[in-house]
């Protein structure tokens, strides 16, 4: 039986996110993108208040596909949302490179290169939230890098309503 993400301590959850990010980003296991989005969203929620939420809730669609996708990542996904590679391709079909178009909305994609299969799931996330840097630390970097990252978060004394439970 698989443990629920909510049963993980913050440290276990962070390690799980790093493991999943490595699997999706370096090993191309895009089937894990949904699980990565859920775990990263929960880790972000534990680290700080829900990102991008206001007292009035989410914002309505703008009618501009790139803006609406950015809003879905921010409000629906709390900064992390698994979507199909085809949806990203269709939304950002302009002449500029995909990376530049995403950067214009403060978004990043994992894996860095979109899979050729339009149905493959990818993680679309914002680089503006506090834990997005966890996705760039991979198991390949070694345990010392991950330990330093965990210790940095542990020492952080930022005022937030839900301190992490290390």
């Amino acid at each position: 039986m698989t443990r629920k993400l909510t049963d993980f301590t913050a440290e276990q959850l962070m390690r799980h996110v790093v493991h999943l990010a490595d699997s999706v980003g370096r090993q191309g296991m895009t089937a894990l993108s949904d699980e990565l989005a859920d775990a990263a969203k929960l880790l972000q929620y534990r680290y700080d208040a829900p990102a991008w939420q206001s007292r009035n809730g989410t914002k309505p669609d703008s009618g501009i596909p790139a803006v609406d996708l950015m809003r879905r990542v921010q409000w629906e996904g709390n900064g992390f949302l698994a979507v199909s590679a085809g949806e990203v391709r269709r939304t950002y079909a302009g002449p500029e490179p995909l990376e530049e178009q995403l950067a214009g909305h403060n978004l990043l994609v994992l894996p860095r290169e979109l899979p050729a299969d339009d149905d493959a799931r990818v993680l679309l996330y914002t680089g503006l939230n506090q834990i997005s840097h966890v996705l760039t630390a991979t198991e390949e970097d070694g345990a010392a890098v991950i330990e330093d990252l965990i210790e940095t978060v542990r020492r952080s004394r930022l005022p937030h309503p839900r301190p992490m439970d290390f």
Side-chain angles (χ1 to χ4, degrees):
M1 181 175 209
T2 308
R3 286 175 63 187
K4 294 188 306 186
L5 291 174
T6 54
D7 293 338
F8 283 42
T9 66
E11 182 173 358
Q12 291 168 332
L13 185 58
M14 184 177 292
R15 290 180 191 281
H16 187 63
V17 166
V18 168
H19 170 73
L20 289 172
D22 185 57
S23 298
V24 172
R26 293 197 189 249
Q27 299 173 28
M29 299 172 66
T30 58
L32 296 175
S33 294
D34 288 296
E35 185 178 350
L36 175 57
D38 290 342
K41 182 181 353 180
L42 181 61
L43 183 60
Q44 170 62 28
Y45 184 78
R46 283 187 176 186
Y47 183 76
D48 203 355
W52 319 105
Q53 291 286 349
S54 70
R55 290 187 312 231
N56 300 326
T58 62
K59 290 187 178 181
D61 284 347
S62 69
I64 303 169
V67 171
D68 292 340
L69 184 56
M70 174 193 65
R71 287 179 175 176
R72 279 181 50 215
V73 170
Q74 293 174 345
W75 284 290
E76 181 185 320
N78 196 25
F80 304 91
L81 188 68
V83 297
S84 71
E87 181 177 358
V88 174
R89 243 185 234 103
R90 286 186 300 276
T91 302
Y92 294 98
E96 298 86 19
L98 175 65
E99 191 173 287
E100 289 179 22
Q101 292 184 63
L102 289 171
H105 289 112
N106 297 314
L107 294 175
L108 300 163
V109 66
L110 197 66
R112 297 285 179 231
E113 289 190 29
L114 287 181
D117 179 12
D118 278 350
D119 293 331
R121 303 292 282 177
V122 297
L123 179 71
L124 201 57
Y125 66 102
T126 179
L128 298 178
N129 66 29
Q130 291 83 358
I131 65 118
S132 64
H133 62 281
V134 171
L135 300 181
T136 60
T138 62
E139 292 176 340
E140 204 171 89
D141 294 331
V145 171
I146 296 170
E147 291 301 324
D148 286 347
L149 186 62
I150 290 170
E151 194 56 36
T152 299
V153 173
R154 185 180 289 148
R155 284 192 312 259
S156 173
R157 297 291 179 227
L158 296 174
H160 45 74
R162 287 168 289 286
M164 295 183 83
D165 57 346
F166 282 98

